[in-house]
Amino acid sequence: MAASSSLRALILVFFLLPLLAEGITRHYKFNVAEKKFTRLCSTKSIATVNGQFPGPTLYAREGDTVLVKVVNHVHYNVTIHWHGVRQLRTGWADGPAYITQCPIQPGQNYVYNFTLTGQRGTLWWHAHISWLRATVHGAIVVLPKSNVPYPFPAPHKEVVLVLAEWWKSDTEAVINEALNSGLAPNVSDAHTINGHAGPLSGCSSSARDGFTLQVDKGKRYLLRIINAALNEDLFFKVAGHQLTVVEVDAAYTKPFTTDTLLLTPGQTTNVLLTARQGAGRYIVTASPFMDSPLVAVDNRTATATVQYANSVSTSAITTTKPPPQNATPVASSFTDSLRSLNSQQYPAKVPATVDHSLLFTVGLGVNPCATCANGSRVVADINNVSFVMPTTALLQAHYFNASGVFTDDFPGQPPIAFNYTGSGPRNLQTMSGTRLYRVPYNASVQLVLQDTGIIGPENHPIHLHGYNFFVVGRGVGNYDPKSSPSNFNLVDPIERNTIGVPSGGWTAIRFRADNPGVWFLHCHFEVHTTWGLKMAFVVDDGEGPNQSLLPPPNDLPSC
Ligand code: C2O
């Protein structure tokens, strides 16, 4: 008894007290290093942070400054991105390779230094170079300032659930092979929940491995769910339980209750789960959503277990049926239910007027390729521009006014208007270029993201760095500048940093360009980013004292 109460006191001193403080500086060290893991009955060496898969959770409070020293012990170049952290004036710490920084080379290190301003909730970090994020990723939990409660009933306990994909082979080899052949890369061999595929037929060891969430009857749990998968949208369900959504992408929502969540890669969702069942074991599922019949996905369902305290691991498990892979209505009904909380304390500051009105087509295309398997290669583009990564970082080129690295003539409208969502091939060879779109400080931007059906319609999870945006509208078919805006929600649209553009449809977002720097916009399907579905905004400094990009840190890596 005495031992356990003094242990509790120690836990309080070392773990809870620092969390009660705020506006403090938190130091983390991330060693990027190889480690062997056994999954799906086979062992392979993967790149990890601190030997963990998923990597360590970074805890902080709103207002804290976070310093993460990243040391590169692997033989790849590495960068880390703090997905959803706004990085106000600190673009140097954002992380996408060749956009805001040159990579950290093997044997080198870099300290990411940023402050969590005006944000609280679940975000995540991941490698932002090649396909390393497959295994180099983890959660960021930003707690509210001390004495500031959640705008929802306090949970008994909080649990991080990281959804991901697992390949039996090396993911760097998977994408390199695809780039050489010009064809689509192999799909993953399993989905995972907190690093485990769960009970899978044909591989008994993973049944023992599955993640288990222990619950007490009647208590309330906050699940912080992250889709860290490379290439797949995921449905999420817990058998026998309803989930109440309270936050997405570190922005509070109007609570709504559902039995199925949808998360695109890059998105996070916080839900409350009340342990309403008295006893037993209940399956948790993460399964793919893909409503384009042309696109192959890994159709395996990852599983985990919710286990009541009075049950044993051998008792029968209550199962649930994941939605069908092509369940567009389930996906749409989830997306359409999301609203910003828009309370007095957390207002939705939707730009009411628009300074820059942009229409970006997003999709795939085919370009000739003499050395490829079919004489052609799959490419991806925005407004017919397939983005070419520079060999030095864009943010440095911008800050130091270096010429010849990028141009700022990215087209704000599609170069040719056509029936975007119509099917069938077109004679539209994509251009390549390192072209950016320039925005003055504090301009309001409306960006309509229009899917194309050049190869076939497909949904695209588009992520914007440096900002949250409001999702003011969404529709099927082609966006109509005359009629579509009449249905926009400018009152309580969902605020987030990653949005799925529906298959054969469009999504309209708005944001205020109040963060100077160079900010990446890309599809969070890693394969589409690799193929060129990416661009960047360059946001100029303002005139005011706190409206300019800070100078680069001394240890910023060089290329
Ligand atoms: Cu989570 Cu640029 O990515």
Side-chain angles (χ1 to χ4, degrees):
M1 253 333 193
S4 88
S5 66
S6 63
L7 185 67
R8 250 178 254 143
L10 268 180
I11 290 171
L12 188 73
V13 170
F14 285 105
F15 295 100
L16 294 179
L17 284 189
L19 283 178
L20 292 175
E22 70 187 42
I24 65 164
T25 302
R26 291 172 197 277
H27 295 264
Y28 280 87
K29 188 163 178 196
F30 277 19
N31 282 311
V32 182
E34 296 268 337
K35 187 162 179 210
K36 282 199 175 123
F37 278 79
T38 302
R39 292 290 184 275
L40 312 177
C41 307
S42 72
T43 300
K44 74 164 181 171
S45 190
I46 58 169
T48 67
V49 164
N50 301 348
Q52 292 169 245
F53 174 73
T57 299
L58 198 153
Y59 285 94
R61 271 195 191 282
E62 179 180 347
D64 288 350
T65 294
V66 179
L67 262 59
V68 189
K69 180 173 184 175
V70 176
V71 187
N72 183 359
H73 300 283
V74 296
H75 60 278
Y76 303 109
N77 284 343
V78 166
T79 69
I80 306 283
H81 168 52
W82 318 91
H83 181 118
V85 172
R86 288 216 47 208
Q87 302 289 0
L88 289 161
R89 307 175 63 206
T90 55
W92 309 107
D94 191 39
Y98 303 106
I99 305 294
T100 60
Q101 69 165 100
C102 296
I104 309 168
Q105 293 172 19
Q108 305 291 304
N109 54 69
Y110 177 48
V111 178
Y112 290 87
N113 181 345
F114 54 88
T115 300
L116 296 160
T117 307
Q119 295 184 281
R120 75 304 295 165
T122 306
L123 295 170
W124 63 300
W125 55 265
H126 61 78
H128 210 308
I129 184 163
S130 191
W131 276 29
L132 289 183
R133 79 172 178 86
T135 55
V136 179
H137 62 243
I140 302 176
V141 172
V142 185
L143 297 168
K145 292 183 174 179
S146 47
N147 303 320
V148 177
Y150 292 129
F152 47 80
H156 166 65
K157 204 177 155 198
E158 305 192 356
V159 187
V160 168
L161 292 173
V162 181
L163 317 181
E165 287 178 89
W166 183 268
W167 273 260
K168 284 184 181 167
S169 45
D170 177 71
T171 44
E172 292 302 293
V174 168
I175 184 57
N176 287 336
E177 203 180 284
L179 287 175
N180 287 335
S181 69
L183 304 172
N186 292 342
V187 299
S188 55
D189 297 298
H191 294 108
T192 55
I193 300 176
N194 282 354
H196 299 279
L200 273 185
S201 57
C203 187
S204 59
S205 69
S206 51
R208 290 198 300 272
D209 281 350
F211 177 79
T212 298
L213 168 61
Q214 300 276 355
V215 299
D216 293 326
K217 180 181 175 181
K219 296 225 161 114
R220 191 186 296 115
Y221 296 82
L222 180 67
L223 311 185
R224 297 174 175 272
I225 307 159
I226 297 162
N227 184 351
L230 282 193
N231 296 322
E232 288 170 15
D233 291 357
L234 294 170
F235 288 121
F236 179 92
K237 288 181 86 169
V238 180
H241 295 79
Q242 295 281 98
L243 306 167
T244 301
V245 179
V246 291
E247 182 220 298
V248 297
D249 295 3
Y252 292 131
T253 66
K254 287 194 174 69
F256 83 94
T257 300
T258 175
D259 62 1
T260 309
L261 311 177
L262 174 72
L263 293 90
T264 76
Q267 292 184 330
T268 64
T269 304
N270 280 12
V271 298
L272 291 171
L273 174 147
T274 301
R276 283 186 201 290
Q277 307 282 355
R281 298 168 71 227
Y282 298 84
I283 201 116
V284 179
T285 61
S287 64
F289 165 56
M290 170 51 71
D291 57 359
S292 168
L294 295 173
V295 183
V297 292
D298 172 0
N299 62 7
R300 297 164 188 88
T301 299
T303 55
T305 311
V306 166
Q307 184 173 328
Y308 281 74
N310 52 0
S311 307
V312 288
S313 61
T314 48
S315 57
I317 192 157
T318 305
T319 56
T320 183
K321 213 169 148 28
Q325 183 181 301
N326 62 357
T328 312
V330 179
S332 302
S333 114
F334 178 79
T335 306
D336 291 342
S337 302
L338 291 168
R339 294 282 182 283
S340 279
L341 180 59
N342 193 29
S343 63
Q344 202 169 2
Q345 199 177 358
Y346 302 101
K349 295 181 185 153
V350 190
T353 57
V354 173
D355 300 322
H356 287 246
S357 183
L358 310 177
L359 174 62
F360 285 4
T361 58
V362 294
L364 306 186
V366 185
N367 276 8
C369 165
T371 58
C372 294
N374 295 342
S376 64
R377 70 162 63 250
V378 182
V379 293
D381 66 83
I382 303 179
N383 276 354
N384 217 23
V385 182
S386 197
F387 192 85
V388 176
M389 282 299 197
T391 50
T392 184
L394 298 173
L395 189 61
Q396 276 156 301
H398 163 62
Y399 186 81
F400 294 109
N401 270 318
S403 60
V405 178
F406 66 85
T407 55
D408 62 2
D409 59 349
F410 189 88
Q413 304 293 322
I416 315 161
F418 59 98
N419 176 12
Y420 305 117
T421 51
S423 60
R426 274 177 202 77
N427 191 15
L428 267 184
Q429 189 169 331
T430 54
M431 307 171 273
S432 23
T434 308
R435 298 166 73 179
L436 275 59
Y437 189 90
R438 188 176 291 275
V439 182
Y441 181 80
N442 220 35
S444 63
V445 180
Q446 175 174 295
L447 171 55
V448 177
L449 297 156
Q450 171 73 61
D451 182 34
T452 65
I454 293 172
I455 291 186
E458 184 180 348
N459 73 88
H460 296 280
I462 303 294
H463 171 47
L464 175 61
H465 288 226
Y467 296 93
N468 282 355
F469 49 72
F470 292 95
V471 184
V472 297
R474 175 176 191 274
V476 292
N478 297 325
Y479 173 76
D480 180 342
K482 287 196 193 70
S483 62
S484 302
S486 59
N487 293 320
F488 282 2
N489 174 3
L490 301 177
V491 177
D492 60 356
I494 196 68
E495 177 181 354
R496 55 190 331 165
N497 62 54
T498 307
I499 185 65
V501 177
S503 224
W506 56 270
T507 292
I509 63 173
R510 283 191 188 183
F511 63 97
R512 182 164 299 283
D514 58 358
N515 191 12
V518 173
W519 302 109
F520 207 13
L521 175 98
H522 63 92
C523 183
H524 221 289
F525 286 158
E526 207 54 43
V527 56
H528 292 177
T529 307
T530 307
W531 283 336
L533 211 168
K534 52 195 170 186
M535 59 80 70
F537 287 98
V538 51
V539 178
D540 288 324
D541 286 347
E543 315 262 274
N546 297 314
Q547 300 178 349
S548 54
L549 176 65
L550 292 168
N554 290 330
D555 62 339
L556 186 72
S558 42
C559 286

